[in-house]
Amino acid sequence: MVSVAAATTRTPSHLLFSSSRSISHLSPFQLRVFDSKTTVVPYPYNNNSKSKKHVAAGFRCMAVGAAEAETKKRNVFEIQTLTNWLLKQEQAGVIDAELTIVLSSISMACKQIASLVQRASISNLTGVQGAVNIQGEDQKKLDVVSNEVFSSCLRSSGRTGIIASEEEDVPVAVEESYSGNYIAVFDPLDGSSNIDAAVSTGSIFGIYSPNDECFADIGDNPTLDSAEQKCVVSVCQPGSNLLAAGYCMYSSSIIFVLTIGNGVFAFTLDPMYGEFVLTQENIQIPKAGKIYSFNEGNYQLWDDKLKKYIDDLKDPGPSGKPYSARYIGSLVGDFHRTMLYGGIYGYPSDKKSKNGKLRLLYECAPMSFIAEQAGGKGSDGHQRILDITPLEIHQRVPLYIGSVEEVEKVEKYLA
């Protein structure tokens, strides 16, 4: 580049008044006269390019007009895959190479689970497994398989040291030969009760760095050896410590939503390429919305303050239009709609479930991290979800998440 610029300085008249044919021969550079210094800019021209080099005064070298037009034409077909996007974030110093590998392994797990979900009926993966998980819930066949897929991908990445799953009794320390530094927490298949009816399901995950200063109330459970107890202590961190979080929704499209602390981005699986392709950037939850998503079948089990809140949502008021009720029964599906359209999703505590039903560590915290990155809010009705430090792996908390104004409204009712 410097040699071209030097030649330009020596023979400006020749280069400036050459025929268009001779100028095009210099592609990918074009010469234009400016008042001050020369800037050599590689093709394609970009005002923000870090590769600008300022040389002798006289001219600025830019991409040839014809080449620029050709580039614009090609951009119609340009796609940005999740892999490319992660590499760009790594180059920008937002994440390191280790986290890039962890997130790539999670995306691979999601592709595999998406295929299993789509072929569930064909592959006889519907129905229950016949076992019960640590929460006392019947495990679906796909719950078990999805957990194995997720765990296997994270182990083989070689960058995770501890894995905590909804389907595991305690966190699992990755074997030394494969161990890394990151802690991965996940719900491998949220909404699995919908599988047999082919309704939306999803996977939720969060990534932490190790925290040896975090302590949890693990009690004197004789089934936990010293290594497992260390795992429990390391995993129990507040959501404010999350480095990354996301979910993958298995529906009419396979959508991978991710935040690494600089906004929320959505990638859609393109079946033609088998790659997640960037489809939405810097998603923002509307400040308010007219959709609420609660399981009103539990209405009689709620306390009076929450009943009053729901009753007021149904009151048309001066506008003459009440809130609309939408409830899928899958946290991923309900939250994804709430994030795009605004409103509120809630799973409150009730007389039967004193602390609600959703798990703090690998459901509520990652989703709240995503919500806040999109300009929304996640609360247990009284405090910010991300400020709550888990006392146990499968701790449950009430959850109200969505538009800021809607979450703050329910907090006022519950105060």
Side-chain angles (χ1 to χ4, degrees):
M1 291 184 183
V2 177
S3 62
V4 173
T8 302
T9 306
R10 288 196 300 271
T11 55
S13 59
H14 170 71
L15 290 176
L16 278 174
F17 300 102
S18 298
S19 66
S20 59
R21 183 174 181 180
S22 63
I23 292 177
S24 65
H25 178 69
L26 296 174
S27 179
F29 301 104
Q30 180 179 0
L31 305 176
R32 295 182 187 175
V33 178
F34 287 83
D35 293 334
S36 57
K37 56 193 175 184
T38 298
T39 302
V40 182
V41 183
Y43 173 83
Y45 176 68
N46 183 343
N47 281 322
N48 297 320
S49 174
K50 295 181 180 179
S51 55
K52 290 182 181 180
K53 295 182 180 179
H54 299 289
V55 291
F59 313 98
R60 174 177 294 172
C61 300
M62 299 176 64
V64 179
E68 289 182 25
E70 185 181 349
T71 303
K72 291 178 181 177
K73 185 175 181 181
R74 284 202 304 266
N75 285 343
V76 176
F77 306 99
E78 183 180 349
I79 61 174
Q80 185 169 359
T81 66
L82 174 61
T83 302
N84 289 340
W85 185 85
L86 288 172
L87 290 173
K88 287 183 178 180
Q89 301 306 307
E90 181 188 330
Q91 291 169 354
V94 180
I95 58 176
D96 61 19
E98 308 291 296
L99 187 54
T100 299
I101 294 172
V102 173
L103 293 172
S104 294
S105 69
I106 289 175
S107 72
M108 177 57 69
C110 290
K111 290 179 188 178
Q112 294 182 51
I113 294 172
S115 178
L116 291 169
V117 168
Q118 291 172 336
R119 292 182 53 82
S121 297
I122 299 171
S123 304
N124 193 30
L125 287 174
T126 56
V128 296
Q129 174 76 10
V132 176
N133 66 14
I134 187 64
Q135 279 78 239
E137 301 165 338
D138 289 331
Q139 288 182 311
K140 295 282 188 177
K141 293 177 182 178
L142 266 178
D143 280 326
V144 178
V145 175
S146 299
N147 185 64
E148 287 298 320
V149 169
F150 233 98
S151 297
S152 177
C153 285
L154 286 169
R155 282 191 178 94
S156 62
S157 73
R159 302 301 186 276
T160 50
I162 299 172
I163 298 171
S165 166
E166 178 185 11
E167 306 302 328
E168 302 285 352
D169 294 1
V170 294
V172 177
V174 179
E175 298 88 282
E176 187 175 345
S177 57
Y178 291 99
S179 65
N181 295 322
Y182 287 101
I183 295 172
V185 297
F186 58 91
D187 180 353
L189 195 60
D190 170 71
S192 57
S193 59
N194 290 324
I195 285 290
D196 295 1
V199 179
S200 297
T201 54
S203 300
I204 307 170
F205 64 89
I207 307 296
Y208 292 91
S209 59
N211 181 4
D212 294 333
E213 297 180 357
C214 178
F215 296 93
D217 182 16
I218 59 178
D220 298 321
N221 187 343
T223 62
L224 298 181
D225 60 25
S226 58
E228 290 173 333
Q229 289 183 17
K230 186 176 180 180
C231 288
V232 174
V233 171
S234 296
V235 169
C236 288
Q237 301 182 46
S240 55
N241 286 0
L242 279 164
L243 300 177
Y247 60 84
C248 189
M249 185 173 70
Y250 314 115
S251 186
S252 57
S253 296
I254 311 303
I255 301 176
F256 188 90
V257 175
L258 174 66
T259 179
I260 52 176
N262 64 346
V264 179
F265 299 80
F267 303 80
T268 303
L269 184 63
D270 188 334
M272 181 181 296
Y273 304 114
E275 293 281 357
F276 283 109
V277 176
L278 181 64
T279 48
Q280 291 174 287
E281 299 183 67
N282 294 311
I283 300 172
Q284 289 292 301
I285 300 176
K287 295 297 182 184
K290 283 291 186 178
I291 297 175
Y292 72 96
S293 184
F294 287 71
N295 181 3
E296 292 190 77
N298 294 326
Y299 180 87
Q300 294 301 329
L301 301 176
W302 294 340
D303 65 31
D304 293 338
K305 292 179 180 179
L306 187 59
K307 288 180 181 178
K308 179 68 168 61
Y309 166 74
I310 294 295
D311 292 341
D312 286 353
L313 294 186
K314 296 178 180 179
D315 184 353
S319 68
K321 186 177 181 182
Y323 278 60
S324 297
R326 299 285 185 273
Y327 187 72
I328 297 171
S330 165
L331 173 57
V332 169
D334 282 314
F335 174 77
H336 188 72
R337 182 198 57 248
T338 302
M339 182 172 67
L340 297 181
Y341 301 157
I344 185 170
Y345 169 88
Y347 206 110
S349 58
D350 56 42
K351 294 176 182 177
K352 184 175 63 175
S353 303
K354 299 296 183 181
N355 296 313
K357 186 179 179 182
L358 300 177
R359 270 68 57 158
L360 171 61
L361 188 65
Y362 41 80
E363 289 179 322
C364 300
M367 286 305 207
S368 295
F369 185 49
I370 296 168
E372 290 195 7
Q373 285 294 315
K377 186 174 182 178
S379 170
D380 70 349
H382 303 283
Q383 64 177 318
R384 180 178 178 237
I385 288 289
L386 297 185
D387 288 337
I388 304 174
T389 300
L391 299 179
E392 57 185 41
I393 300 302
H394 303 292
Q395 179 177 334
R396 301 173 190 262
V397 293
L399 177 66
Y400 303 92
I401 191 170
S403 300
V404 169
E405 292 183 12
E406 303 304 328
V407 175
E408 290 179 348
K409 182 178 180 180
V410 74
E411 286 179 327
K412 290 178 181 178
Y413 274 82
L414 297 176

